[in-house]
């Protein structure tokens, strides 16, 4: 077992004045079991994403249909619009912290998430968190692609009269399947061209989607003659005893919305020009965008209530109510760009790297992206969206708790145990510093297992509403179930530090 924690200075490193590290010429490892061109550190000369690039990335990812619907879900639980927007804003401020902490390794070392995970889990063990993350992303990719395809189908149905009444295949109109497949192909075509194409796409997609949302607000406000009664509706929960039991689980749910990215954000920050770019770009892009988007959602829905007598929370359904062909085409393009923007960035980049990490000799970034696209179809997202209990409350709920656990281990290892110092070449070297026990750090696995049990062991379902027993899988842990992400992160972080600190101290003496 290799127990050294802090690396000694290595001639294989080159540090620049900004504290960025890259491998010296000839120092790149060649063992194809753990290396390919996509997993190697990005050369310093190619780390050129700016503050605007990161802010645009988050604007592009945040502006999508599921984000728009977050506020509606909270209002449906009994909150008023102010409580809903406050909950969303606070959640994104909280999740920003692990984003910045795990993102730090990107600009400094130029490495993606699965390679960073090798420092804590071991060269082979890193496949455990990588595959958990990849599984979530593949499912989200399929869901988002289906939602985007449905949006295109609805809007085109307004333009072409008989579009929605086409013959059914597999229980759906064949025209809907065409929209789904074309949308799927377009997404993969963009990401197949690589990360630089994604950067350029996000740069112009972000402002376009903002304009689209503002146009929708202006349109509905003009039709309503002002915003409607939704803004005047009082909270059904108040701010007392009825509010807090709804608030805390809702807060965890809003955090879980981006908890996936808090793990694999190094996949993007590895292209950063420096720490300032990723810190300011993410800080300006994530919490502000999600809060403003929630406000836009509330204002537009309020206007729809005034115009149509009922709140229309789905922006696609609302846009479809116009008979103006230009307006429908503009809405169609906006939905297309918004969904592509989030899906390829949030749900294709990560599994592409994660799958490449699983078999570097066989899978590169492009092949990983194609595999993600295929798996996203094989999970049959049209079935998952028919059963929200299965997808949201069962599968995603469980995986969300496990993702928090992985985040706790990554943060503990990088910041507490290693103090941001990694042996860059060692992350690719079997038998080296991060080999541990046959490529596995059993301490990390133990922290992952304990944190995971605490996070999801109390999972429970109301009678007839899900697969879990009403008293919880482990009744003793039921009180923790609604706080799965936070419980998993805190428990794994503390346990990993306790297990690894003796090793770290021994290595420093």
């Amino acid at each position: 077992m290799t127990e050294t924690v802090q690396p000694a200075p290595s001639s294989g490193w080159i540090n620049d004045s900004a504290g960025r590290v890259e491998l010296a010429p000839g120092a790149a490892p060649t063992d194809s079991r753990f290396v390919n061109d996509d997993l190697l550190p990005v050369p310093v000369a190619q780390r050129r994403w700016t503050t605007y690039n990161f802010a645009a990335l988050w604007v592009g990812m945040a502006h999508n249909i599921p984000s728009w619907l977050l506020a509606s879900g909270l209002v449906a639980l009994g909150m008023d619009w102010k409580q809903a927007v406050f909950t969303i804003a606070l959640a994104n401020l909280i999740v920003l912290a692990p984003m910045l902490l795990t993102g730090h390794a990107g600009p400094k070392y130029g490495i993606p998430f699965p390679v960073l995970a090798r420092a804590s889990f071991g060269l082979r063990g890193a496949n455990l968190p990588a595959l958990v993350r990849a599984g979530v992303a593949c499912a989200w990719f399929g869901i988002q692609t289906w939602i985007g395809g449905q949006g295109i189908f609805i809007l085109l149905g307004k333009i072409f009269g008989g579009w929605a009444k086409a013959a059914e295949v597999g229980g759906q109109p064949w025209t809907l399947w065409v929209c789904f497949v074309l949308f799927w192909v377009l997404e993969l075509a963009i990401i197949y061209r690589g990360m630089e194409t994604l950067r350029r796409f996000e740069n112009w997609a972000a402002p376009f989607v903002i304009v689209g949302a503002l146009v929708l607000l202006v349109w509905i406000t003009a039709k309503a003659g002002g915003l409607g009664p939704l803004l005047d509706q009082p909270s059904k929960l108040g701010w007392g005893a009825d509010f807090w039991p709804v608030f805390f689980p809702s807060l965890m749910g809003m955090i879980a919305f981006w908890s996936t990215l808090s793990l694999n954000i190094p996949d993007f920050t590895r292209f950063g020009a420096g720490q300032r770019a990723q810190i300011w770009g993410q800080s300006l892009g994530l919490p502000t965008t999600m809060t403003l988007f929630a406000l836009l959602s509330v204002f537009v829905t309020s206007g729809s209530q005034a115009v149509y007598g009922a709140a229309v929370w789905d922006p696609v359904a609302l846009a479809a109510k116009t008979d103006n062909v230009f307006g429908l085409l503009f809405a169609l393009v906006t939905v297309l760009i918004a969904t592509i923007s989030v899906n390829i960035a949030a749900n294709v980049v990560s599994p592409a790297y994660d799958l490449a990490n699983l078999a570097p000799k066989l899978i590169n970034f492009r092949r990983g992206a194609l595999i993600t696209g295929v798996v996203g179809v094989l999970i049959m997202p049209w079935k998952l969206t028919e059963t929200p209990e299965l997808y949201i409350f069962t599968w995603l709920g469980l995986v969300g708790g496990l993702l928090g656990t992985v985040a706790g281990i990554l943060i503990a290892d990088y910041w507490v145990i290693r103090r941001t110092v990694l042996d860059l070449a060692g992350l690719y070297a079997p038998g080296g510093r991060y080999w541990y026990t046959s490529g596995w750090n059993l301490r990390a696995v133990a922290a992952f297992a304990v944190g995971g049990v605490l996070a999801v062991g109390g999972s429970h379902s109301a009678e007839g509403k899900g697969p879990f027993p009403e008293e919880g899988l482990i009744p003793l842990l039921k009180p923790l179930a609604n706080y799965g992400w936070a419980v998993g992160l805190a428990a794994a972080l503390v346990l990993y530090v306790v297990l690894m600190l003796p090793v770290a101290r021994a290595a420093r003496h």
Side-chain angles (χ1 to χ4, degrees):
M1 178 183 291
T2 301
E3 296 286 14
T4 306
V5 174
Q6 289 287 74
S10 168
S11 60
W13 299 359
I14 298 177
N15 286 321
D16 72 355
S17 58
R20 297 177 297 180
V21 180
E22 66 179 342
L23 293 172
T30 58
D31 192 320
S32 61
R33 291 176 297 165
F34 301 102
V35 179
N36 65 26
D37 290 342
D38 296 309
L39 295 176
L40 283 172
V42 175
V44 167
Q46 296 177 26
R47 300 178 203 173
R48 49 177 178 261
W49 284 34
T50 64
T51 297
Y52 176 79
N53 293 140
F54 286 112
L57 176 75
W58 274 114
V59 171
M61 288 199 295
H63 288 172
N64 60 83
I65 297 171
S67 292
W68 184 278
L69 296 174
L70 287 179
S72 65
L74 297 181
V75 172
L77 290 173
M79 294 185 183
D80 63 19
W81 72 271
K82 295 183 291 294
Q83 291 171 329
V85 172
F86 167 72
T87 303
I88 291 170
L90 180 60
N92 283 280
L93 282 172
I94 292 172
V95 82
L96 178 66
M99 291 276 188
L100 298 178
L101 291 174
T102 54
H104 184 278
K108 183 170 184 179
Y109 295 102
I111 54 176
F113 154 65
V115 174
L116 173 62
R118 293 175 180 180
S120 50
F121 282 85
L123 267 72
R124 287 175 172 158
N127 287 316
L128 173 63
L131 289 179
V132 170
R133 174 65 184 95
V136 180
C138 288
W140 265 121
F141 175 80
I143 292 289
Q144 287 273 15
T145 302
W146 184 250
I147 289 173
Q150 284 181 316
I152 297 167
F153 171 76
I154 290 170
L155 294 173
L156 285 178
K158 288 284 292 184
I159 299 173
F160 304 106
W163 186 264
K165 298 178 181 179
E168 290 192 355
V169 176
Q172 302 288 353
W174 68 265
T175 46
L176 176 54
W177 292 114
V178 169
C179 292
F180 173 65
V181 171
L182 290 177
F183 191 55
W184 177 83
V185 170
L186 181 59
E187 289 176 311
L188 292 184
I190 293 174
I191 197 63
Y192 191 78
R193 295 179 63 85
M195 290 295 289
E196 185 62 20
T197 299
L198 173 62
R199 181 181 72 88
R200 292 196 297 267
F201 178 82
E202 296 289 351
N203 281 350
W204 68 265
F208 184 91
V209 174
I210 292 175
V211 170
L214 291 174
V215 167
L216 191 60
L217 176 62
V218 170
W219 170 70
I220 198 65
T221 303
K223 286 185 70 71
L227 293 176
L230 191 72
L231 299 181
D232 298 325
Q233 290 295 315
S235 170
K236 297 176 184 177
L237 304 173
W239 288 95
D242 292 333
F243 174 71
W244 301 110
V246 175
F247 169 75
F248 285 110
S250 298
L251 183 68
M252 289 299 105
M254 297 303 103
I255 291 173
F257 192 78
W258 288 123
S259 65
T260 51
L261 268 294
S262 69
L263 290 186
N264 73 285
I265 196 65
D267 293 343
F268 301 96
T269 61
R270 67 191 298 228
F271 298 96
Q275 296 300 339
R276 181 185 295 271
Q278 74 102 1
I279 291 172
W280 279 106
Q282 294 203 82
S283 299
L284 293 172
L286 173 57
T288 55
T289 298
M290 288 295 291
T291 303
L292 290 174
F293 209 52
L295 281 169
L296 273 174
S297 169
V298 168
F299 291 154
V300 171
T301 306
S302 175
S304 73
Q305 182 163 320
V307 174
Y308 300 108
V312 183
W313 286 99
D314 187 338
V316 174
L318 182 59
K321 289 183 176 293
T322 181
D323 293 321
N324 183 287
V325 174
F326 175 79
L328 285 168
L329 288 174
F330 181 80
L332 177 65
V333 174
T334 302
V335 167
L336 190 73
I337 292 173
T339 308
I340 290 176
S341 182
V342 64
N343 217 15
I344 60 177
N347 302 319
V348 178
V349 172
S350 172
Y353 283 124
D354 296 337
L355 292 168
N357 188 70
L358 181 64
K361 188 175 182 179
L362 300 173
I363 305 173
N364 58 18
F365 179 83
R366 288 179 169 84
R367 289 175 184 167
L370 293 176
I371 292 172
T372 300
V374 172
V375 173
V377 174
L378 292 179
I379 64 165
M380 295 187 291
W382 49 92
K383 294 291 185 183
L384 290 178
T385 52
E386 289 177 354
T387 56
E389 290 82 13
L390 172 64
Y391 180 67
I392 297 173
F393 300 114
T394 304
W395 188 73
L396 270 187
L398 289 173
V399 175
L402 297 179
L403 293 178
T405 302
V406 175
I409 293 171
L410 293 184
I411 293 169
D413 183 80
Y414 184 70
W415 286 96
V416 180
I417 301 301
R418 306 189 191 280
R419 301 177 186 177
T420 77
V421 179
L422 299 175
D423 176 2
L424 191 54
L427 292 170
Y428 302 90
R433 193 179 307 277
Y434 306 114
W435 190 241
Y436 300 106
T437 303
S438 300
W440 290 79
N441 183 1
L442 300 181
R443 293 176 177 85
V445 174
F448 175 78
V450 172
V453 169
L454 292 175
V456 305
S459 298
H460 57 91
S461 304
E463 188 175 355
K465 296 292 186 180
F468 301 119
E470 194 171 355
E471 66 276 8
L473 288 172
I474 304 175
L476 184 65
L477 300 179
K478 183 178 178 180
L480 302 180
N482 290 331
Y483 312 95
W485 180 82
V487 169
L489 187 146
L493 188 152
V494 171
L495 181 56
Y496 185 82
V497 169
V498 169
L499 293 175
M500 289 295 291
L501 266 182
V503 180
R505 289 179 180 140
R508 293 182 189 125
H509 291 88

